[in-house]
């Protein structure tokens, strides 16, 4: 079984809601530790074997793959996480602005409120990114044309007798 398949099985393999909550608590704390380390060092690049990096960050290989799966949308060149195993070598470059944006999109408050962000992005830039993310997720519903309304094509006919046929 590949690491990715193990990761997916780990995510979905809980029989009770309590087990699932406990899993996410443990994983999110470990994930937070990785981000604190990366942000504290302003480390844009992560290189090495998956197994060695997992040890460096005190995680299992499966959990580290979960971290890679999560950060994959925030790196300059996305990787094929499904093909990774313990011996795979990775070389990723993190786009911090995109990462901050994606943390707001999830929303992962335990990550985007880390004090280590102060070293990476100014407070104004973080506010701007958060505002942009909120704007991007806002859904604007267009006004629906009623069948008895005038046709928007300008013919003067009712919609049902014109373009609504």
């Amino acid at each position: 079984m590949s690491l990715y398949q193990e990761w997916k099985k780990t995510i979905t393999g809980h029989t009770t809601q309590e087990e699932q909550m406990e899993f996410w608590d443990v994983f999110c704390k470990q994930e937070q530790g990785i981000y604190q380390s990366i942000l504290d060092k302003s480390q844009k690049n992560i290189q090495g074997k998956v197994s060695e990096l997992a040890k460096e960050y005190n995680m299992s290989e499966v959990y580290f793959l979960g971290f890679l799966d999560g950060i994959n949308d925030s790196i300059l060149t996305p990787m094929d996480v499904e093909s990774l195993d313990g011996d795979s070598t990775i070389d990723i470059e993190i786009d911090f602005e995109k990462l901050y944006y994606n943390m707001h999109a999830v929303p992962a408050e335990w990550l985007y409120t880390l004090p280590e962000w102060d070293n990476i992005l100014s407070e104004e830039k973080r506010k701007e990114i958060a505002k942009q993310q909120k704007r991007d997720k806002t859904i604007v519903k267009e006004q629906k044309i009623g069948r008895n309304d005038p046709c928007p094509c300008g013919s003067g006919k009712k919609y049902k007798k014109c373009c609504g046929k």
Side-chain angles (χ1 to χ4, degrees), residues 87-126:
D87 292 329
S88 299
T89 301
I90 61 166
D91 184 1
I92 60 174
E93 186 174 351
I94 302 168
D95 179 343
F96 285 123
E97 289 184 18
K98 199 172 181 182
L99 177 63
Y100 192 78
Y101 178 94
N102 290 336
M103 286 178 174
H104 273 275
V106 173
E109 187 176 340
W110 68 96
L111 297 176
Y112 66 75
T113 58
L114 289 171
E116 287 83 3
W117 278 109
D118 294 342
N119 303 329
I120 307 293
L121 301 171
S122 68
E123 188 174 343
E124 295 81 33
K125 186 67 177 172
R126 289 183 302 212

Side-chain angles (χ1 to χ4, degrees), residues 117-155:
W117 278 109
D118 294 342
N119 303 329
I120 307 293
L121 301 171
S122 68
E123 188 174 343
E124 295 81 33
K125 186 67 177 172
R126 289 183 302 212
K127 285 180 181 177
E128 179 186 319
I129 292 170
K131 194 174 186 180
Q132 181 63 43
Q133 192 281 323
K134 285 180 184 174
R135 242 186 272 123
D136 290 349
K137 77 174 186 178
T138 303
I139 299 170
V140 179
K141 291 185 179 182
E142 294 183 24
Q143 188 173 359
K144 222 174 179 183
I145 302 167
R147 45 184 269 119
N148 289 316
D149 291 341
C151 191
C153 75
S155 67

